[in-house]
Amino acid sequence: MRVVIADDAMLIREGTARLLEDAGVEVVGKVDDAQKLIRVVATEHPDVAIVDIKMPPTHTDEGLVAAEQIRSSHPDVGVLVLSQYLESRYATRLLEDHPEARGYLLKERVSDIGVLKDAIARIAEGECVLDPTIVTRLIKRRRHQGPLDELTEREREVLALVAEGRSNHGIAEILVLSPKTVEAHVGRILAKLGLGDTPDYHRRVLAVLAFLRS
């Protein structure tokens, strides 16, 4: 698995690279601004780009703009936003049009390199990964009436865990349910959201998108 890292904080950039390399991930580029990131992605063709949101020159949304450019020019490259900012609007902007192979994690919540490596692997496979704190904020926000209102409380719990990038087995362990029960819940969620016969991973991503847009 090959990644590039874009973060203007040298300690974060170099520290993340060292930890990932020790965990067996190939780091093919380390840059401190979004324009350099775009150039490195074009030349190195990584599996995933790890991006901070606010970088030079304006320190506003350079990482999100870069993610959009990567999607347009290199749709096979996944993007993981690794940020200190707990903003559901950033997650929505990152994922709302093309949630496949996208993720948003908070730096302070990545306490184990295994968590980061797992997220990168999931994104490289086309999944969508959201930090649990972001998911909690999205669940609590006010929203319009829609298909999600038809979900039971348990189905909402399952969908929130799907949004975190959890597998059925992982959800079963967290909720202390059998894998077959979780599979049944996921099936009902997808049916209520009107998601038809497409590959399972893609339907899960579409379910997360419905969750974000609700």
Side-chain angles (χ1 to χ4, degrees), residues 5-10 13 30-34 36-37 55-56:
I5 301 171
D7 197 305
D8 64 320
M10 184 271 291
R13 185 175 65 251
K30 297 175 288 184
V31 298
D32 58 5
D33 68 50
K36 292 176 184 176
L37 169 65
M55 291 185 290

Side-chain angles (χ1 to χ4, degrees), residues 32-156:
D32 58 5
D33 68 50
Q35 291 305 310
K36 292 176 184 176
L37 169 65
I38 298 299
R39 290 197 292 271
V40 171
V41 167
T43 57
E44 297 294 339
H45 305 289
D47 298 303
V48 176
I50 301 174
V51 187
D52 194 7
I53 290 177
K54 299 184 179 183
M55 291 185 290
T58 67
H59 293 278
T60 53
D61 63 350
E62 284 83 1
L64 295 178
V65 172
E68 292 163 358
Q69 291 179 1
I70 291 170
R71 162 63 70 178
S72 176
S73 302
H74 308 281
D76 56 329
V77 177
V79 175
L80 171 61
V81 168
L82 187 60
S83 176
Q84 69 188 64
Y85 300 102
L86 176 55
E87 292 286 352
S88 55
R89 63 188 174 92
Y90 289 147
T92 303
R93 179 176 164 187
L94 175 71
L95 305 173
E96 64 180 349
D97 290 327
H98 300 285
E100 300 93 342
R102 293 290 180 267
Y104 188 120
L105 294 180
L106 297 176
K107 290 177 180 177
E108 64 184 42
R109 299 270 301 179
V110 182
S111 57
D112 187 321
I113 192 61
V115 173
L116 182 57
K117 184 178 179 181
D118 178 68
I120 293 169
R122 288 176 177 274
I123 291 167
E125 292 172 359
E127 294 187 27
C128 175
V129 178
L130 276 177
D131 191 282
T133 309
I134 296 290
V135 172
T136 299
R137 175 166 290 192
L138 289 169
I139 288 174
K140 291 180 178 179
R141 73 180 179 181
R142 297 183 64 182
R143 54 188 174 78
H144 300 295
Q145 290 283 329
L148 266 68
D149 294 293
E150 299 180 15
L151 302 184
T152 66
E153 189 63 32
R154 176 62 84 184
E155 287 166 352
R156 289 176 186 276

Side-chain angles (χ1 to χ4, degrees), residues 178-198:
S178 71
K180 284 192 174 181
T181 299
V182 172
E183 184 178 349
H185 280 309
V186 171
R188 285 193 292 271
I189 290 167
L190 296 176
K192 289 180 179 179
L193 295 179
L195 301 176
D197 295 328
T198 56

